[in-house]
Amino acid sequence: MGSGGICQSIFASPTTKTSVRRQRSRRLLDRDRLVGHDDGMKYVLLICDDETTSPTMEEIAADPAYRAFAAEVDRRGASIGGARLRPVADATTVRIRNGETLVSDGPFAETKDFIGGIDIIDCADLDDAIAIAARHPYASWGCIEIRPVWE
């Protein structure tokens, strides 16, 4: 999720953004038709930021941009759930290698940007998910990675 991650590569230019968005939306909509889904798609928004500049919970609650984002998601009826994550200093990583459980403190990868929270939304399509992600306050300084949920 660093500087060369999905946030830059997919959304690098308007031409790329539009063509990728249309191709992905078409694929997802075609898949829904094939498996009989008539309702919207579920997406997880991975809120990525640099923890050194993360606001407190009180600052988030008082920020008009966050209140406007929450109001917009509520207006759309898109929210399924979400949570802010504790700092990476509180993380534990578990791996199994050669039948042995390896436990280490901290995140899986060394990077400047970390997943600081998630929002789970239900939208008509990827275009709708992008519109919601673009309103998230963290999109202004971090990035929001959008991932479709397996149905």
Side-chain angles (χ1 to χ4, degrees):
M1 264 12 103
S3 62
I6 192 168
C7 295
Q8 277 194 341
S9 63
I10 287 181
F11 303 113
S13 70
T15 304
T16 303
K17 176 182 167 184
T18 302
S19 61
V20 169
R21 191 172 51 199
R22 284 185 186 141
Q23 290 170 0
R24 288 177 123 186
S25 291
R26 237 187 323 270
R27 281 196 313 260
L28 293 171
L29 291 173
D30 289 344
R31 188 197 71 189
D32 280 354
R33 283 189 211 106
L34 290 173
V35 296
H37 292 191
D38 292 330
D39 55 342
M41 294 286 303
K42 290 179 182 65
Y43 296 90
V44 172
L45 305 181
L46 302 171
I47 293 92
C48 307
D49 70 338
D50 175 356
E51 287 188 342
T52 62
T53 60
S54 286
T56 65
M57 295 300 284
E58 293 77 19
E59 290 170 327
I60 289 172
D63 188 332
Y66 282 96
R67 289 198 302 266
F69 173 74
E72 175 65 15
V73 173
D74 286 344
R75 183 191 68 75
R76 292 170 177 255
S79 182
I80 294 175
R84 187 171 187 198
L85 303 177
R86 300 283 307 163
V88 295
D90 295 341
T92 301
T93 301
V94 176
R95 297 175 184 83
I96 304 294
R97 298 296 183 265
N98 299 319
E100 183 181 351
T101 302
L102 306 172
V103 179
S104 59
D105 292 335
F108 173 73
E110 292 294 325
T111 180
K112 180 182 156 206
D113 293 329
F114 297 98
I115 299 172
I118 62 166
D119 285 317
I120 305 169
I121 57 175
D122 190 359
C123 302
D125 54 29
L126 181 60
D127 289 337
D128 199 21
I130 290 170
I132 290 173
R135 302 260 333 226
H136 196 289
Y138 268 77
S140 297
W141 66 83
C143 72
I144 310 297
E145 181 178 330
I146 302 169
R147 296 242 195 124
V149 174
W150 286 106
E151 297 287 336

